[in-house]
């Protein structure tokens, strides 16, 4: 009986995957190469036109398949192969992370606008990933201690499940991402800005650490003066980024 049950489950899983593969090709309007693998997350290879769906568990729900397929089809539809490759190669893995988070925002907004039925699926499936699988690894953790780019990622994916805080200046940038970042060029511009801003934040943290060390070793002596460049950089965020982010109708 156990053998028959396992055979039955494998058969059902294979049928489900075949159906989801067909759905993804239909949504993408092209004959994508689709693979199912035991990998940490889904991904799409723009040049090879290959979509890889993760096998997180053998009995993955319909909505998880739809989330992964829908998300990657979003990349298939509007992420430029040449632009993605060139941007990643030029600036390395850390910059790629920034670019990926921001492009995810753009492609998910696009795919949900194109196929409105995916809105609730994405909402529920992201909740399942967080609640049942701790997919983002933040259960029991104060997410507001994370870097800005990580909070951006969590806000746009599971912000309906956790409370993600932003400073006033950060919120201006988040609003721009949500309402104006509708082309690949704008994604790259925002990634460039945030990537440079992160370097200033790291420098600020180092300065703060040094100041604390001086205060600890010298009692109540004056701390090292703080660099104001970071504050000024954030204060100019809306002007420097927003000026090039008028939505295209």
């Amino acid at each position: 009986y156990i053998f028959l049950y396992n055979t039955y489950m494998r058969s059902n899983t294979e049928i489900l995957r075949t159906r989801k593969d067909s759905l993804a090709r239909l949504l993408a309007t092209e004959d994508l190469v689709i693979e199912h693998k035991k990998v940490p997350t889904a991904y799409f290879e723009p040049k090879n036109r290959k979509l890889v769906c993760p096998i997180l568990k053998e009995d993955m729900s319909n909505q998880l398949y739809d989330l992964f397929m829908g998300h990657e089809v979003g990349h298939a539809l509007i992420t430029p192969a040449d632009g993605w490759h060139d941007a990643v190669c030029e600036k390395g893995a850390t910059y790629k992370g920034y670019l990926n988070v921001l492009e995810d925002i753009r492609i998910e907004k696009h795919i949900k606008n194109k196929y409105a039925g995916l809105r609730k699926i994405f909402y529920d499936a992201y909740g399942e990933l967080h609640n049942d699988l701790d997919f983002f690894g933040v259960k029991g953790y104060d997410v507001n201690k994370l870097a800005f780019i990580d909070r951006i990622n969590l806000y746009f994916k599971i912000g309906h499940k956790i409370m993600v805080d932003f400073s006033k200046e950060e919120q201006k940038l988040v609003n721009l991402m949500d309402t104006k970042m509708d082309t690949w060029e704008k994604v790259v511009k925002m990634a460039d800005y945030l990537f440079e801003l992160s370097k200033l934040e790291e420098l600020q943290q180092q300065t703060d650490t040094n100041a604390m060390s001086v205060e600890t070793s010298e009692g109540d002596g004056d701390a090292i003066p703080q660099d104001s460049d970071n504050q000024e950089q954030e204060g100019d965020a809306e002007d420097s980024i927003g000026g090039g982010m008028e939505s295209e109708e």
Side-chain angles (χ1 to χ4, degrees), residues 22-136:
S22 297
L23 175 63
R25 293 186 178 103
L26 182 64
L27 296 180
T29 65
E30 68 172 288
D31 189 18
L32 298 173
V33 176
I34 301 177
E35 297 179 0
H36 297 262
K37 294 182 178 180
K38 289 187 176 181
V39 291
T41 189
Y43 61 89
F44 181 70
E45 298 177 2
K47 282 190 176 293
N48 299 326
R49 312 309 292 168
K50 182 167 75 174
L51 187 162
V52 176
C53 182
I55 302 173
L56 301 182
K57 53 183 181 177
E58 288 304 321
D59 58 340
M60 274 173 50
S61 66
N62 265 289
Q63 65 184 15
L64 283 185
Y65 278 111
D66 289 342
L67 168 63
F68 290 130
M69 294 296 192
H71 178 97
E72 299 310 326
V73 165
H75 282 298
L77 289 172
I78 63 172
T79 297
D82 292 337
W84 175 261
H85 177 77
D86 294 342
V88 169
C89 286
E90 288 174 5
K91 297 189 178 180
T94 301
Y95 178 78
K96 177 184 177 182
Y98 278 76
L99 201 61
N100 194 56
V101 166
L102 297 173
E103 179 66 347
D104 278 359
I105 296 169
R106 183 175 80 101
I107 63 101
E108 288 202 348
K109 182 178 288 290
H110 176 84
I111 197 72
K112 287 187 288 187
N113 285 339
K114 187 175 182 67
Y115 302 109
L118 289 175
R119 292 180 181 275
K120 186 176 187 305
I121 290 171
F122 274 43
Y123 183 94
D124 292 341
Y126 272 128
E128 181 181 344
L129 283 177
H130 173 63
N131 293 331
D132 298 348
L133 299 174
D134 193 20
F135 184 78
F136 298 95

Side-chain angles (χ1 to χ4, degrees), residues 127-232:
E128 181 181 344
L129 283 177
H130 173 63
N131 293 331
D132 298 348
L133 299 174
D134 193 20
F135 184 78
F136 298 95
V138 295
K139 272 194 173 181
Y141 187 80
D142 182 0
V143 299
N144 294 306
K145 292 181 179 179
L146 295 172
F148 184 29
I149 191 66
D150 295 319
R151 284 181 284 126
I152 291 170
N153 189 43
L154 293 173
Y155 172 77
F156 280 99
K157 288 175 178 169
I158 55 172
H160 59 296
K161 293 295 180 182
I162 61 175
M163 181 64 68
V164 182
D165 295 332
F166 299 108
S167 69
K168 182 179 178 180
E169 295 303 327
E170 287 175 341
Q171 188 63 56
K172 290 179 182 178
L173 289 171
V174 171
N175 292 343
L176 285 173
M177 296 168 206
D178 194 29
T179 60
K180 304 291 186 182
M181 197 175 64
D182 52 7
T183 68
W184 169 253
E185 291 72 24
K186 293 174 185 178
V187 168
V188 172
K189 185 172 183 179
M190 182 64 81
D192 289 343
Y193 182 83
L194 294 182
F195 188 57
E196 292 305 315
L197 184 63
S198 71
K199 296 177 183 178
L200 291 175
E201 289 175 343
E202 289 176 4
L203 180 62
Q204 184 69 44
Q205 290 172 0
Q206 292 174 3
T207 304
D208 290 346
T209 301
N210 291 338
M212 289 175 64
S213 297
V214 170
E215 288 179 325
T216 301
S217 61
E218 298 184 4
D220 294 327
D222 293 337
I224 298 174
Q226 301 300 300
D227 190 341
S228 62
D229 287 348
N230 188 25
Q231 184 175 354
E232 292 173 358

